[in-house]
Amino acid sequence: MMETDVCIIGAGPGGATAALQLNKLGISCVVVDKAVFPRDKVCGDGLSGKVIMHLQRIDPEMAQRFRDTVVKEDSWGVRFVSPGRLHIDVPYKPNYSRAADLPEGFVCKRMEFDNFLVQELKRANTNIRLFEGVSIDKYELKDDGYEVSDSKGDFKVKAKLLIVANGAHSSFTKEVAGIKMEPEYYAAGIRAYYKGVTGMQQDSFIELHFLKSLLPGYLWIFPLPNGEANVGMDMLSEDVRTKKVNLKKLLTDTIANDPIFQERFKHAEMVSPLEGYGLPLGSKKRPISGNRYMLAGDAAYLIDPFTGEGIGNAMYCGVYAANQAAEALKTNSFSAEALAGYDIAVYRSLWPELQLSHRLQKLVKYPRLFNWLMKAATRNKQLQELVSCMFYEMDIRKKLTRPSFYFKLLLNR
């Protein structure tokens, strides 16, 4: 049996970031993932500014390697489309210059981004032992740590502490942490890659189309290199269930029959299967640590309920989990009480944002209000900036959740 201080289950953004932060702190770990990289992951592929920020903080040279080597589309802003088909284009950075400024965000296939992180794990092989193609199916808590293994018991690891980052369908999350899927706090998503979609914004802004049939979800078109696009839609699982929606059919029917999308996809070709996935939303505060374990990434249910962002939040978790692991090893304290500082750190950073996003998610259920807000935004530059920034700036979101904000707009029309 292999022994280690920290065993990380899952080498996606949450688990990989935890391992890279541990390496920075000089702490060794074992990372195990059931996949062999590169591998695909059904996702929207959008990378917010949180991603480059964490790479930069862990290792500026790693951040530069990402900028220089990974195949991606630089993302300069958002095209935001209301149910009434009004739209505004607002950059992430006012008065940006593609020639002078570095991009704030990216669109990058998860096959490319996750493989980049895995290659960084291999680069740091002094402190990180990575095992691919191994599924951890058994977890046994002992007095001095966790023993984990594959289903046959051929692969075994004993660790003082687990960081569980193995995705939305984590058996550990359900069976040990006791977090269950609740349809009102969960979304269903589908995604396919297309080639030849026309009508993209000239500076490759990502597109979010809040169609009436999807509210509070949306249809997205994210531009990728080589003329490709990530196209998909998401919807609350509760609505999918109660309205008996077939998301795959809804997406293909919308593209085929909606006059705007029909024209844009006239010569487009689907170049991947149309696949579904679940989004465990951070609409509800849950315990994400316990006796000798911490949950990270989608296994911790921390996807933004309004924007759908999961990768940046997963990387936040990874950094905080590594820092908490370092403290636990220093004090030799691994109880639920000792690790509760992880929950505090994660929710201190993310909960205000997640809570406001949940309120905005409820707000966009009302298409008439949403259309009115967008119409006002097309005439009001200040409001236009507010609407765009609500995807990324928490202080701006606060304004948009206050009734007084709309009252002032009415008075100043």
Side-chain angles (χ1 to χ4, degrees), residues 182-186 216 236 238 281-286 303-308 350-366 390 397 401:
E182 299 172 86
E184 65 268 37
Y185 303 120
Y186 207 90
L236 274 177
E238 184 178 44
L281 305 177
S283 315
K284 176 181 176 181
K285 192 178 283 190
R286 306 168 176 90
I303 290 178
D304 189 291
F306 185 65
T307 67
L350 296 179
W351 182 243
E353 180 179 346
L354 293 171
Q355 194 174 32
L356 288 167
S357 287
H358 185 45
R359 291 175 186 165
L360 288 168
Q361 182 192 47
K362 291 181 178 180
L363 174 69
V364 300
K365 283 186 176 182
Y366 305 99
M390 70 183 176
R397 294 187 194 185
T401 58

Short mmCIF file of all heavy atoms in Angstrom, two decimals, residues 182-186 216 236 238 281-286 303-308 350-366 390 397 401:
data_model
loop_
_atom_site.label_atom_id
_atom_site.label_comp_id
_atom_site.label_asym_id
_atom_site.label_seq_id
_atom_site.Cartn_x
_atom_site.Cartn_y
_atom_site.Cartn_z
N GLU A 182 -30.33 17.92 -5.54
CA GLU A 182 -31.64 18.52 -5.35
C GLU A 182 -31.99 19.29 -6.62
O GLU A 182 -31.27 20.23 -6.97
CB GLU A 182 -31.64 19.45 -4.14
CG GLU A 182 -31.30 18.75 -2.83
CD GLU A 182 -31.10 19.73 -1.69
OE1 GLU A 182 -32.10 20.10 -1.05
OE2 GLU A 182 -29.94 20.12 -1.45
N PRO A 183 -33.04 18.92 -7.34
CA PRO A 183 -33.32 19.51 -8.66
C PRO A 183 -33.40 21.03 -8.68
O PRO A 183 -33.06 21.65 -9.68
CB PRO A 183 -34.67 18.88 -9.03
CG PRO A 183 -34.70 17.59 -8.29
CD PRO A 183 -34.00 17.86 -6.99
N GLU A 184 -33.85 21.65 -7.56
CA GLU A 184 -33.95 23.10 -7.55
C GLU A 184 -32.59 23.78 -7.41
O GLU A 184 -32.46 25.00 -7.62
CB GLU A 184 -34.89 23.58 -6.43
CG GLU A 184 -34.42 23.29 -5.03
CD GLU A 184 -34.93 21.97 -4.48
OE1 GLU A 184 -35.02 21.00 -5.26
OE2 GLU A 184 -35.23 21.91 -3.27
N TYR A 185 -31.55 23.00 -7.06
CA TYR A 185 -30.19 23.53 -6.93
C TYR A 185 -29.24 22.81 -7.88
O TYR A 185 -28.06 22.63 -7.58
CB TYR A 185 -29.69 23.38 -5.49
CG TYR A 185 -30.58 24.02 -4.46
CD1 TYR A 185 -31.16 23.27 -3.45
CD2 TYR A 185 -30.83 25.39 -4.49
CE1 TYR A 185 -31.98 23.85 -2.49
CE2 TYR A 185 -31.66 25.98 -3.54
CZ TYR A 185 -32.22 25.21 -2.55
OH TYR A 185 -33.03 25.80 -1.61
N TYR A 186 -29.75 22.41 -9.02
CA TYR A 186 -28.96 21.63 -9.98
C TYR A 186 -29.42 22.02 -11.37
O TYR A 186 -30.60 22.35 -11.58
CB TYR A 186 -29.21 20.14 -9.74
CG TYR A 186 -28.10 19.21 -10.15
CD1 TYR A 186 -27.09 18.87 -9.25
CD2 TYR A 186 -28.05 18.65 -11.42
CE1 TYR A 186 -26.07 17.99 -9.61
CE2 TYR A 186 -27.04 17.77 -11.79
CZ TYR A 186 -26.05 17.45 -10.88
OH TYR A 186 -25.04 16.59 -11.24
N PRO A 216 -34.61 30.26 -16.09
CA PRO A 216 -33.47 31.18 -16.03
C PRO A 216 -32.18 30.66 -16.66
O PRO A 216 -31.12 31.18 -16.39
CB PRO A 216 -33.29 31.36 -14.52
CG PRO A 216 -33.65 30.02 -13.96
CD PRO A 216 -34.78 29.51 -14.83
N LEU A 236 -32.58 24.66 -15.37
CA LEU A 236 -32.71 24.08 -14.04
C LEU A 236 -33.28 22.67 -14.14
O LEU A 236 -34.26 22.43 -14.86
CB LEU A 236 -33.62 24.93 -13.16
CG LEU A 236 -32.99 26.09 -12.40
CD1 LEU A 236 -34.07 26.86 -11.64
CD2 LEU A 236 -31.92 25.60 -11.43
N GLU A 238 -35.01 21.09 -12.09
CA GLU A 238 -36.40 21.09 -11.62
C GLU A 238 -37.34 21.41 -12.77
O GLU A 238 -38.40 20.78 -12.93
CB GLU A 238 -36.55 22.13 -10.50
CG GLU A 238 -37.93 22.16 -9.88
CD GLU A 238 -37.99 23.18 -8.74
OE1 GLU A 238 -37.45 24.30 -8.90
OE2 GLU A 238 -38.57 22.84 -7.70
N LEU A 281 -25.10 23.26 -8.56
CA LEU A 281 -25.04 24.70 -8.35
C LEU A 281 -24.76 25.07 -6.89
O LEU A 281 -25.22 24.40 -5.97
CB LEU A 281 -26.37 25.34 -8.78
CG LEU A 281 -26.81 25.05 -10.22
CD1 LEU A 281 -28.18 25.67 -10.47
CD2 LEU A 281 -25.79 25.56 -11.23
N GLY A 282 -24.05 26.17 -6.73
CA GLY A 282 -23.73 26.67 -5.40
C GLY A 282 -24.81 27.59 -4.87
O GLY A 282 -24.50 28.62 -4.27
N SER A 283 -26.08 27.24 -5.09
CA SER A 283 -27.20 28.08 -4.63
C SER A 283 -27.50 27.88 -3.16
O SER A 283 -28.28 28.63 -2.58
CB SER A 283 -28.46 27.73 -5.43
OG SER A 283 -28.20 27.62 -6.79
N LYS A 284 -26.92 26.86 -2.57
CA LYS A 284 -27.22 26.48 -1.20
C LYS A 284 -25.90 26.20 -0.48
O LYS A 284 -25.02 25.53 -1.03
CB LYS A 284 -28.11 25.24 -1.20
CG LYS A 284 -28.44 24.67 0.15
CD LYS A 284 -29.32 23.42 -0.03
CE LYS A 284 -29.62 22.75 1.30
NZ LYS A 284 -30.45 21.54 1.13
N LYS A 285 -25.77 26.71 0.73
CA LYS A 285 -24.54 26.49 1.49
C LYS A 285 -24.57 25.09 2.10
O LYS A 285 -25.54 24.70 2.73
CB LYS A 285 -24.38 27.55 2.59
CG LYS A 285 -23.01 27.57 3.23
CD LYS A 285 -22.89 28.67 4.29
CE LYS A 285 -22.70 30.03 3.67
NZ LYS A 285 -22.35 31.06 4.69
N ARG A 286 -23.49 24.36 1.89
CA ARG A 286 -23.38 22.98 2.38
C ARG A 286 -22.05 22.78 3.08
O ARG A 286 -21.07 23.45 2.74
CB ARG A 286 -23.48 21.99 1.21
CG ARG A 286 -24.70 22.17 0.33
CD ARG A 286 -24.55 21.35 -0.94
NE ARG A 286 -25.71 21.39 -1.80
CZ ARG A 286 -25.91 22.28 -2.77
NH1 ARG A 286 -25.00 23.23 -2.97
NH2 ARG A 286 -26.99 22.24 -3.53
N ILE A 303 -20.81 25.52 -8.51
CA ILE A 303 -20.95 26.20 -9.80
C ILE A 303 -21.84 27.43 -9.63
O ILE A 303 -22.86 27.38 -8.95
CB ILE A 303 -21.54 25.24 -10.85
CG1 ILE A 303 -20.50 24.17 -11.22
CG2 ILE A 303 -21.99 25.99 -12.10
CD1 ILE A 303 -20.99 23.15 -12.22
N ASP A 304 -21.44 28.52 -10.25
CA ASP A 304 -22.21 29.76 -10.16
C ASP A 304 -23.59 29.55 -10.77
O ASP A 304 -23.70 29.15 -11.94
CB ASP A 304 -21.47 30.88 -10.90
CG ASP A 304 -22.09 32.24 -10.67
OD1 ASP A 304 -23.22 32.46 -11.17
OD2 ASP A 304 -21.47 33.08 -10.01
N PRO A 305 -24.68 29.79 -10.02
CA PRO A 305 -26.02 29.50 -10.52
C PRO A 305 -26.50 30.43 -11.62
O PRO A 305 -27.47 30.10 -12.31
CB PRO A 305 -26.91 29.64 -9.27
CG PRO A 305 -26.15 30.50 -8.34
CD PRO A 305 -24.70 30.23 -8.61
N PHE A 306 -25.83 31.56 -11.83
CA PHE A 306 -26.26 32.48 -12.87
C PHE A 306 -25.38 32.38 -14.11
O PHE A 306 -25.87 32.23 -15.22
CB PHE A 306 -26.26 33.91 -12.34
CG PHE A 306 -26.81 34.92 -13.32
CD1 PHE A 306 -28.14 34.87 -13.70
CD2 PHE A 306 -25.99 35.90 -13.85
CE1 PHE A 306 -28.65 35.78 -14.61
CE2 PHE A 306 -26.50 36.82 -14.76
CZ PHE A 306 -27.83 36.76 -15.13
N THR A 307 -24.07 32.43 -13.95
CA THR A 307 -23.17 32.41 -15.10
C THR A 307 -22.79 31.00 -15.52
O THR A 307 -22.31 30.80 -16.63
CB THR A 307 -21.87 33.18 -14.79
OG1 THR A 307 -21.13 32.48 -13.79
CG2 THR A 307 -22.17 34.59 -14.29
N GLY A 308 -22.96 30.03 -14.63
CA GLY A 308 -22.55 28.67 -14.93
C GLY A 308 -21.06 28.43 -14.77
O GLY A 308 -20.55 27.35 -15.09
N LEU A 350 -16.49 32.95 -1.87
CA LEU A 350 -17.43 32.66 -2.95
C LEU A 350 -18.90 32.84 -2.59
O LEU A 350 -19.72 33.08 -3.49
CB LEU A 350 -17.21 31.22 -3.44
CG LEU A 350 -15.86 30.92 -4.09
CD1 LEU A 350 -15.80 29.46 -4.50
CD2 LEU A 350 -15.61 31.82 -5.28
N TRP A 351 -19.26 32.72 -1.31
CA TRP A 351 -20.68 32.72 -0.97
C TRP A 351 -21.40 34.02 -1.32
O TRP A 351 -22.51 33.98 -1.87
CB TRP A 351 -20.89 32.36 0.49
CG TRP A 351 -22.35 32.30 0.86
CD1 TRP A 351 -23.02 33.08 1.75
CD2 TRP A 351 -23.34 31.41 0.32
NE1 TRP A 351 -24.34 32.74 1.81
CE2 TRP A 351 -24.57 31.72 0.94
CE3 TRP A 351 -23.29 30.39 -0.63
CZ2 TRP A 351 -25.75 31.04 0.64
CZ3 TRP A 351 -24.47 29.72 -0.95
CH2 TRP A 351 -25.67 30.04 -0.31
N PRO A 352 -20.83 35.21 -1.04
CA PRO A 352 -21.55 36.43 -1.43
C PRO A 352 -21.85 36.45 -2.94
O PRO A 352 -22.95 36.83 -3.36
CB PRO A 352 -20.58 37.55 -1.03
CG PRO A 352 -19.77 36.97 0.08
CD PRO A 352 -19.59 35.53 -0.30
N GLU A 353 -20.88 36.02 -3.73
CA GLU A 353 -21.07 35.98 -5.18
C GLU A 353 -22.12 34.94 -5.57
O GLU A 353 -23.01 35.20 -6.40
CB GLU A 353 -19.72 35.65 -5.83
CG GLU A 353 -19.75 35.58 -7.34
CD GLU A 353 -18.37 35.27 -7.90
OE1 GLU A 353 -17.37 35.37 -7.16
OE2 GLU A 353 -18.31 34.94 -9.09
N LEU A 354 -22.05 33.75 -4.97
CA LEU A 354 -23.00 32.69 -5.28
C LEU A 354 -24.42 33.08 -4.86
O LEU A 354 -25.40 32.80 -5.57
CB LEU A 354 -22.59 31.39 -4.58
CG LEU A 354 -21.30 30.75 -5.07
CD1 LEU A 354 -20.89 29.60 -4.14
CD2 LEU A 354 -21.44 30.25 -6.50
N GLN A 355 -24.54 33.71 -3.71
CA GLN A 355 -25.85 34.11 -3.20
C GLN A 355 -26.49 35.16 -4.11
O GLN A 355 -27.68 35.08 -4.44
CB GLN A 355 -25.68 34.66 -1.78
CG GLN A 355 -26.97 34.81 -1.00
CD GLN A 355 -26.70 35.22 0.44
OE1 GLN A 355 -25.74 35.92 0.74
NE2 GLN A 355 -27.55 34.76 1.35
N LEU A 356 -25.70 36.12 -4.53
CA LEU A 356 -26.21 37.14 -5.43
C LEU A 356 -26.57 36.55 -6.79
O LEU A 356 -27.58 36.93 -7.40
CB LEU A 356 -25.18 38.26 -5.59
CG LEU A 356 -25.01 39.16 -4.37
CD1 LEU A 356 -23.76 40.01 -4.51
CD2 LEU A 356 -26.23 40.03 -4.16
N SER A 357 -25.78 35.61 -7.25
CA SER A 357 -26.08 34.95 -8.53
C SER A 357 -27.39 34.18 -8.44
O SER A 357 -28.16 34.13 -9.40
CB SER A 357 -24.94 34.00 -8.92
OG SER A 357 -23.81 34.73 -9.34
N HIS A 358 -27.64 33.58 -7.29
CA HIS A 358 -28.90 32.86 -7.10
C HIS A 358 -30.09 33.82 -7.17
O HIS A 358 -31.14 33.51 -7.75
CB HIS A 358 -28.87 32.12 -5.76
CG HIS A 358 -30.06 31.25 -5.52
ND1 HIS A 358 -30.58 30.41 -6.47
CD2 HIS A 358 -30.84 31.08 -4.41
CE1 HIS A 358 -31.63 29.76 -5.97
NE2 HIS A 358 -31.80 30.17 -4.74
N ARG A 359 -29.92 35.00 -6.59
CA ARG A 359 -30.99 36.01 -6.66
C ARG A 359 -31.22 36.47 -8.09
O ARG A 359 -32.36 36.63 -8.54
CB ARG A 359 -30.63 37.21 -5.78
CG ARG A 359 -30.65 36.91 -4.28
CD ARG A 359 -30.17 38.11 -3.50
NE ARG A 359 -30.04 37.82 -2.08
CZ ARG A 359 -29.39 38.58 -1.22
NH1 ARG A 359 -28.79 39.69 -1.64
NH2 ARG A 359 -29.31 38.25 0.06
N LEU A 360 -30.13 36.66 -8.83
CA LEU A 360 -30.26 37.08 -10.22
C LEU A 360 -30.88 35.97 -11.07
O LEU A 360 -31.64 36.25 -12.01
CB LEU A 360 -28.89 37.48 -10.79
CG LEU A 360 -28.34 38.81 -10.26
CD1 LEU A 360 -26.88 38.97 -10.64
CD2 LEU A 360 -29.15 39.98 -10.79
N GLN A 361 -30.55 34.75 -10.74
CA GLN A 361 -31.16 33.61 -11.44
C GLN A 361 -32.68 33.65 -11.29
O GLN A 361 -33.41 33.39 -12.24
CB GLN A 361 -30.59 32.30 -10.86
CG GLN A 361 -31.11 31.05 -11.55
CD GLN A 361 -30.74 29.80 -10.77
OE1 GLN A 361 -30.91 29.74 -9.56
NE2 GLN A 361 -30.24 28.80 -11.46
N LYS A 362 -33.13 34.01 -10.09
CA LYS A 362 -34.57 34.13 -9.87
C LYS A 362 -35.14 35.33 -10.63
O LYS A 362 -36.25 35.27 -11.17
CB LYS A 362 -34.85 34.28 -8.37
CG LYS A 362 -34.58 33.02 -7.56
CD LYS A 362 -34.90 33.25 -6.09
CE LYS A 362 -34.68 32.00 -5.26
NZ LYS A 362 -35.00 32.22 -3.83
N LEU A 363 -34.37 36.40 -10.70
CA LEU A 363 -34.83 37.62 -11.37
C LEU A 363 -35.09 37.38 -12.85
O LEU A 363 -36.10 37.85 -13.40
CB LEU A 363 -33.77 38.72 -11.20
CG LEU A 363 -34.01 40.02 -11.96
CD1 LEU A 363 -35.20 40.78 -11.38
CD2 LEU A 363 -32.76 40.90 -11.92
N VAL A 364 -34.21 36.64 -13.53
CA VAL A 364 -34.35 36.48 -14.98
C VAL A 364 -35.46 35.51 -15.35
O VAL A 364 -35.70 35.27 -16.54
CB VAL A 364 -33.02 36.05 -15.64
CG1 VAL A 364 -31.94 37.07 -15.41
CG2 VAL A 364 -32.57 34.67 -15.15
N LYS A 365 -36.17 34.97 -14.37
CA LYS A 365 -37.34 34.16 -14.69
C LYS A 365 -38.47 35.01 -15.26
O LYS A 365 -39.42 34.50 -15.83
CB LYS A 365 -37.85 33.44 -13.43
CG LYS A 365 -37.03 32.23 -13.03
CD LYS A 365 -37.69 31.50 -11.86
CE LYS A 365 -36.93 30.23 -11.50
NZ LYS A 365 -37.60 29.50 -10.40
N TYR A 366 -38.36 36.34 -15.08
CA TYR A 366 -39.43 37.23 -15.51
C TYR A 366 -39.00 37.94 -16.79
O TYR A 366 -38.31 38.97 -16.75
CB TYR A 366 -39.74 38.23 -14.40
CG TYR A 366 -40.07 37.56 -13.10
CD1 TYR A 366 -39.12 37.43 -12.08
CD2 TYR A 366 -41.33 37.01 -12.88
CE1 TYR A 366 -39.43 36.79 -10.89
CE2 TYR A 366 -41.65 36.36 -11.70
CZ TYR A 366 -40.69 36.27 -10.71
OH TYR A 366 -41.00 35.62 -9.54
N MET A 390 -22.21 42.40 -14.26
CA MET A 390 -22.85 41.55 -13.25
C MET A 390 -22.38 40.10 -13.37
O MET A 390 -22.55 39.31 -12.45
CB MET A 390 -24.37 41.64 -13.33
CG MET A 390 -25.01 41.01 -14.53
SD MET A 390 -26.79 41.32 -14.48
CE MET A 390 -27.29 40.59 -16.03
N ARG A 397 -23.38 43.32 -8.93
CA ARG A 397 -24.54 42.43 -8.76
C ARG A 397 -25.40 42.89 -7.60
O ARG A 397 -26.62 42.74 -7.64
CB ARG A 397 -24.07 40.99 -8.53
CG ARG A 397 -23.36 40.37 -9.71
CD ARG A 397 -23.10 38.92 -9.45
NE ARG A 397 -22.15 38.38 -10.39
CZ ARG A 397 -21.80 37.10 -10.46
NH1 ARG A 397 -22.35 36.25 -9.63
NH2 ARG A 397 -20.93 36.69 -11.34
N THR A 401 -29.71 43.58 -7.53
CA THR A 401 -30.64 42.79 -6.72
C THR A 401 -31.45 43.68 -5.79
O THR A 401 -32.27 43.17 -5.02
CB THR A 401 -29.88 41.74 -5.89
OG1 THR A 401 -28.92 42.39 -5.06
CG2 THR A 401 -29.20 40.72 -6.77
#
